[in-house]
Amino acid sequence: MSRAGSSTMADTQSVATLIDCATSKIQQLQQAFAELESHHAITLNLKWKELEEHFHGLERSLKQRFNELEDQEKKYETKVSEAREILEKREAAVVAKEQASLEKLQEKRDAALSAIGIAVEKCKNELSSEPAVFNNKESGGAEEIVEEKPPNAKDSSISENVQNPSIDGNMEVKPPSQLTKLCEEMDSKGLHKFISDNRKNLAAIREEIPVALKAATNPAHLVLASLEDFYPMEVSAVAKRDANLLGLRRTCIMLMECLSQMLAEDPSAVSDVISEHVKDKAKVIAKEWKPKLDDLDVDASSGNSLEAHAFLQLLATFGISSGFNQEEITKLIPTVSRRRQTADLCRSLGLTEKMPGVIEVLMNNSRYIDAVNLAYAFDLTEQFSPVHLLKSYLKEARKASSPVKPGNTSPTAQNEVNERELVALKAVIKCIEDHKLEEQYPMDPLQKRVVQLEKAKADKKRVAEAAKPQSKRPRANGGGYGPRITNIPDKSFYTRAADRYPPYMYERPYLYPGHTDNHGSSLLGSAYSLSPSHGNYFGNGYQYQAPYLH
């Protein structure tokens, strides 16, 4: 019995003893009362019988209450015992269910592993007797090379085709996807065409490419072959902005990124895939591309240059940056500072120590939001205060938006000024939200200003629409004008013309408008400074209107 139960039993015994002693006390009291009556000098108004009945009534009441308490105690102990038994049974049932579930899971796991092993062995045996045929496109020849695979040859595509093993060993074999087939056939042009035709499903394709590349006989050669048309032989200035060419270049960058992802997932395969022969071929391509970057239109790229990104990605993916001047590579970073891959590229190229200089170049060219993003990416926020950079950005934006002679500003010019400030405010708000700077830089004043500018923009647009002359319809008989028509449908029925300035888009990180102010860069030399007119994309930053974006 527990300690509480022992204490309760002791209390019960003491109460019973006290009740038994009450009878003897009553007898003693009766004797004392008799002695008092024997003394005639004392007169008592109380009768003994009354006292005796009173004390006996108290005794009966105490015994009745005591018995009730004992009954309640027994019921409580019974309930506690029943509850304890129920809990023990439930606990035992839960343990039994857990054990049964673990046993079933183990059985399913063993059966699945056994089924996979059987299927893999079966596929290996079937494929070991089939020769692998591929075109020798790398050497420019048209002849076919037949390679006999040994019985134990590793086929990396097997694991991708085995899906959903069942307990009894039955397997559902998934046929290879179109991407996998193209990679197996080393068809770089077909790969480009497939990605272009299915650009609506680009996110799913991007996830599948690293797996599909494993099925290629030589993934690195396939990716290098895909770069063949990055720079067409003859391309005019207009063609450089052609949507098809831009889409092809984005595909080239994506394929190099996917190859890097594939190698990152299996570092042991890097030396086999990126051989010395592959590196030499990649160096040849990089040396052909490098002079073309000297004529790069920095103003049009605005930190979003596909050409510079492709060159840097080529160096990073194939590990050939050591063959090029590091300072020249560093000078290309501002031309890609708005692209989401910039930080990873800089790390892969070993430019981490150069980032303070890059950030200062961006600051000197009024690219403050790029500077904030890179400061966070490389833990340089103590050296370059994000709040200070954003305030400087807004300060220069307001300065650039202020007209020289407010009294002589035309409505059109004032609208453009307001639009520039509005775009700058939204860019700063987005940057604050991305890096969670709300406590250091409250957004309420910025948001109020945004509301004010948007309201002024809407009001001016309504006034402009109301001021347009309304055309009058002549009568059907051609004689003057007809009566005034009053049953005109609700104006809301007619669609509004699109706004001149589309809403600010947030979905692409590191894409933001710049400033019109011009600053020279002296940190990394004159060759590193951006064009004097580089800042003239404030609120009008060029964004590629290609079929799809990478």
Side-chain angles (χ1 to χ4, degrees):
M1 185 178 291
S2 63
R3 184 177 300 176
S6 301
S7 175
T8 304
M9 184 63 72
D11 293 341
T12 303
Q13 292 176 355
S14 62
V15 172
T17 303
L18 291 174
I19 291 174
D20 293 337
C21 292
T23 303
S24 61
K25 295 292 184 181
I26 291 172
Q27 292 175 356
Q28 293 176 7
L29 184 60
Q30 183 180 3
Q31 293 176 1
F33 190 83
E35 290 180 359
L36 287 174
E37 278 189 336
S38 63
H39 297 283
H40 298 286
I42 301 174
T43 59
L44 299 173
N45 296 325
L46 298 175
K47 298 293 184 178
W48 167 247
K49 288 295 183 182
E50 294 177 359
L51 289 174
E52 186 176 19
E53 289 178 1
H54 175 70
F55 283 114
H56 280 298
L58 290 176
E59 182 180 8
R60 285 192 300 270
S61 177
L62 287 173
K63 285 184 178 181
Q64 182 180 357
R65 183 59 180 165
F66 178 71
N67 292 333
E68 290 176 357
L69 291 174
E70 279 188 332
D71 294 340
Q72 291 180 1
E73 182 180 4
K74 290 178 181 179
K75 291 180 181 179
Y76 174 75
E77 289 179 352
T78 302
K79 289 182 179 180
V80 170
S81 177
E82 291 175 354
R84 187 179 293 111
E85 290 178 0
I86 293 172
L87 288 175
E88 290 177 353
K89 289 180 181 179
R90 289 182 179 178
E91 184 179 359
V94 171
V95 171
K97 287 182 180 179
E98 288 181 350
Q99 187 64 29
S101 298
L102 289 174
E103 291 176 357
K104 288 182 181 179
L105 286 175
Q106 186 64 33
E107 290 176 1
K108 291 182 179 180
R109 178 179 175 274
D110 295 341
L113 291 175
S114 176
I116 290 174
I118 294 171
V120 170
E121 287 297 327
K122 183 178 178 181
C123 291
K124 283 183 177 180
N125 293 334
E126 291 177 355
L127 294 174
S128 62
S129 59
E130 297 179 1
V133 180
F134 60 91
N135 294 329
N136 187 16
K137 296 183 179 180
E138 304 302 329
S139 59
E143 62 177 352
E144 294 184 345
I145 299 177
V146 180
E147 179 185 358
E148 292 290 339
K149 292 186 178 180
N152 296 327
K154 179 180 179 182
D155 193 329
S156 59
S157 63
I158 294 176
S159 60
E160 302 301 329
N161 297 331
V162 180
Q163 302 288 337
N164 300 327
S166 59
I167 297 177
D168 58 357
N170 295 328
M171 305 294 296
E172 179 184 350
V173 179
K174 183 179 179 181
S177 66
Q178 183 66 24
L179 273 175
T180 303
K181 289 181 180 179
L182 292 170
C183 291
E184 287 177 348
E185 297 168 0
M186 298 288 288
D187 186 358
S188 61
K189 293 187 179 296
L191 193 60
H192 268 286
K193 186 178 185 304
F194 178 82
I195 294 173
S196 178
D197 293 343
N198 296 274
R199 54 185 177 270
K200 291 183 179 179
N201 302 321
L202 190 62
I205 291 175
R206 185 183 181 88
E207 292 182 359
E208 188 179 352
I209 289 176
V211 178
L213 285 174
K214 295 179 182 179
T217 308
N218 194 324
H221 275 288
L222 176 62
V223 173
L224 288 175
S226 71
L227 307 179
E228 180 180 355
D229 295 327
F230 191 90
Y231 285 103
M233 295 299 295
E234 295 181 1
V235 56
S236 62
V238 177
K240 287 182 180 180
R241 299 275 73 85
D242 178 67
N244 293 328
L245 177 59
L246 295 174
L248 182 144
R249 288 178 173 178
R250 290 188 179 92
T251 300
C252 292
I253 294 172
M254 183 178 68
L255 290 174
M256 288 190 286
E257 290 176 343
C258 290
L259 179 61
S260 297
Q261 181 180 341
M262 185 197 80
L263 296 175
E265 294 172 356
D266 186 11
S268 61
V270 175
S271 58
D272 295 333
V273 176
I274 310 296
S275 62
E276 291 300 323
H277 174 67
V278 168
K279 287 186 177 182
D280 291 340
K281 189 169 183 179
K283 287 179 182 177
V284 171
I285 296 175
K287 289 178 180 178
E288 291 177 357
W289 286 6
K290 181 63 175 65
K292 301 179 186 298
L293 298 178
D294 297 337
D295 299 329
L296 184 64
D297 187 353
V298 179
D299 294 338
S301 67
S302 302
N304 194 28
S305 169
L306 286 176
E307 295 86 349
H309 183 185
F311 176 76
L312 296 173
Q313 190 67 56
L314 178 65
L315 302 186
T317 299
F318 294 92
I320 57 174
S321 60
S322 59
F324 296 83
N325 186 287
Q326 194 177 42
E327 291 299 326
E328 293 181 356
I329 296 174
T330 306
K331 292 173 185 178
L332 292 174
I333 301 302
T335 65
V336 297
S337 59
R338 298 172 69 192
R339 300 188 69 80
R340 60 179 175 79
Q341 306 93 333
T342 301
D344 291 336
L345 276 176
C346 291
R347 294 188 187 96
S348 300
L349 296 170
L351 303 179
T352 302
E353 295 181 356
K354 301 285 186 179
M355 297 318 295
V358 173
I359 292 174
E360 289 200 14
V361 170
L362 293 172
M363 291 168 55
N364 292 336
N365 288 277
S366 302
R367 303 263 289 278
Y368 292 103
I369 292 185
D370 282 356
V372 171
N373 292 328
L374 289 180
Y376 271 101
F378 291 92
D379 295 327
L380 296 172
T381 52
E382 293 184 1
Q383 183 176 352
F384 302 97
S385 170
V387 174
H388 175 72
L389 292 177
L390 292 177
K391 288 183 178 179
S392 299
Y393 175 65
L394 275 183
K395 182 179 179 181
E396 293 196 14
R398 293 190 178 103
K399 181 180 177 181
S401 301
S402 300
V404 179
K405 295 181 179 180
N408 298 330
T409 304
S410 64
T412 302
Q414 185 61 45
N415 290 341
E416 293 179 355
V417 166
N418 292 344
E419 184 65 23
R420 291 170 184 169
E421 183 180 359
L422 182 62
V423 172
L425 286 166
K426 290 182 177 180
V428 171
I429 291 173
K430 179 64 169 57
C431 190
I432 293 173
E433 291 175 346
D434 288 343
H435 300 296
K436 304 189 185 311
L437 286 168
E438 290 87 346
E439 293 184 0
Q440 303 176 45
Y441 196 168
M443 294 192 299
D444 288 344
L446 305 179
Q447 291 172 337
K448 289 179 181 178
R449 179 59 176 163
V450 168
V451 173
Q452 181 182 358
L453 290 173
E454 288 181 339
K455 183 177 183 300
K457 177 181 175 182
D459 292 343
K460 289 180 180 178
K461 188 170 185 179
R462 279 196 297 270
V463 171
E465 290 178 352
K468 290 181 180 179
Q470 301 294 328
S471 60
K472 298 181 179 180
R473 296 182 179 180
R475 291 182 179 179
N477 57 8
Y481 296 96
R484 182 178 181 182
I485 301 174
T486 57
N487 59 341
I488 299 176
D490 185 8
K491 291 183 179 180
S492 62
F493 174 80
Y494 299 96
T495 57
R496 289 181 57 191
D499 290 344
R500 177 179 179 184
Y501 296 99
Y504 187 76
M505 304 302 291
Y506 287 150
E507 65 270 15
R508 283 186 60 80
Y510 305 164
L511 290 180
Y512 67 99
H515 303 275
T516 55
D517 286 0
N518 304 321
H519 300 275
S521 171
S522 59
L523 179 67
L524 299 178
S526 59
Y528 197 35
S529 60
L530 305 183
S531 172
S533 61
H534 172 73
N536 195 21
Y537 62 95
F538 185 89
N540 298 307
Y542 179 82
Q543 294 190 9
Y544 295 122
Q545 302 299 323
Y548 55 99
L549 298 177
H550 294 182

